[in-house]
């Protein structure tokens, strides 16, 4: 299996784990992005994408208006598509692509789905968090024979950083 998918319930530490992996793999110059919460007075208002090169783009926010919505959040699909254009991950020279996350908000972007399919079918190694639940593209990715799906829980999250780092290094 070439790709590594990290799943688990919200708040269990998937983003923290993928960020640690990105840091520990930095010598290989991975490309991609992670997700940060946007909080105001301790209340989550949305999510911001941060590329591994430092670019930032709001993915969703309670104040975003428009037709793309997941729960209480408006999703800025055109902004996300602009970030994807800037990153151009399918043509990145990097051998490792870090994605946080393959989730419902991200899958509102047809560009994201197309680029993820292209990357997953390429020689690149994908390390991604993925929604625990989901249909369509999310379910299809989890069923791919070239993807290892690891479920993180509160009880086992401490064991994963070293084990998954070694797993990715073996794939290189």
């Amino acid at each position: 299996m070439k790709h590594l998918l990290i799943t688990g319930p919200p708040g269990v530490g998937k983003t923290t784990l993928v960020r640690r992996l990105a840091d520990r793999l930095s010598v290989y110059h991975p490309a991609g992005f992670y997700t940060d919460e946007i909080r105001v007075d301790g209340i989550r208002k949305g999510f911001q994408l941060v590329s591994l090169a430092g670019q930032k783009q709001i993915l969703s926010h309670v104040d975003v208006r428009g037709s793309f919505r997941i729960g209480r959040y408006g999703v800025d699909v055109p902004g996300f598509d602009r970030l994807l254009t800037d990153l151009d991950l399918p043509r990145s020279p990097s051998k490792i692509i870090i994605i946080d996350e393959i989730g419902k908000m991200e899958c509102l972007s047809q560009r994201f789905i197309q680029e993820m399919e292209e990357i997953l079918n390429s020689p690149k190694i994908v390390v991604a968090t993925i929604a625990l639940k989901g249909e369509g593209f999310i379910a299809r990715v989890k069923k791919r024979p070239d993807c290892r799906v690891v479920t993180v829980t509160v009880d086992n999250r401490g064991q994963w950083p070293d084990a998954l780092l070694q797993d990715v290094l073996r794939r290189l």
Side-chain angles (χ1 to χ4, degrees):
M1 290 183 270
K2 181 170 58 168
H3 308 297
L4 176 62
L5 305 176
I6 302 164
T7 193
V12 77
K14 298 179 298 292
T15 296
T16 300
L17 177 56
V18 82
R19 286 181 69 177
R20 282 189 188 155
L21 285 171
D23 287 343
R24 294 173 78 181
L25 292 165
S26 63
V27 68
Y28 297 98
H29 309 287
F33 59 85
Y34 62 88
T35 306
D36 263 344
E37 290 183 346
I38 299 169
R39 290 189 171 268
V40 177
D41 298 326
I43 298 168
R44 186 170 65 199
K45 297 290 185 172
F47 297 93
Q48 171 178 252
L49 301 173
V50 182
S51 79
L52 298 183
Q55 296 165 274
K56 295 181 179 182
Q57 172 65 48
I58 290 177
L59 174 63
S60 63
H61 198 278
V62 294
D63 294 335
V64 169
R65 302 289 173 235
S67 58
F68 299 107
R69 299 202 68 79
I70 299 288
R72 66 189 189 112
Y73 302 105
V75 182
D76 184 2
V77 174
F80 182 35
D81 286 347
R82 283 191 301 275
L83 178 69
L84 292 172
T85 298
D86 290 347
L87 296 178
D88 196 14
L89 296 174
R91 277 151 288 293
S92 167
S94 181
K95 294 179 183 178
I96 303 171
I97 304 297
I98 307 280
I99 302 293
D100 178 39
E101 92 176 283
I102 302 171
K104 291 178 185 176
M105 290 183 190
E106 294 82 1
C107 288
L108 291 172
S109 165
Q110 287 305 305
R111 180 182 188 100
F112 176 73
I113 291 171
Q114 290 168 354
E115 286 193 7
M116 284 307 305
E117 286 175 340
E118 187 176 345
I119 295 165
L120 288 164
N121 290 327
S122 78
K124 298 177 186 302
I125 297 168
V126 173
V127 177
T129 61
I130 191 164
L132 185 61
K133 298 177 184 176
E135 299 174 359
F137 184 69
I138 295 167
R140 285 196 318 269
V141 171
K142 288 167 121 179
K143 290 179 184 174
R144 287 178 61 109
D146 59 350
C147 290
R148 176 183 179 201
V149 180
V150 171
T151 302
V152 177
T153 65
V154 172
D155 293 333
N156 73 10
R157 65 184 171 192
Q159 78 183 38
W160 291 118
D162 291 333
L164 295 181
L165 176 64
Q166 294 307 313
D167 189 25
V168 172
L169 292 174
R170 278 193 299 277
R171 294 162 200 249
L172 289 171

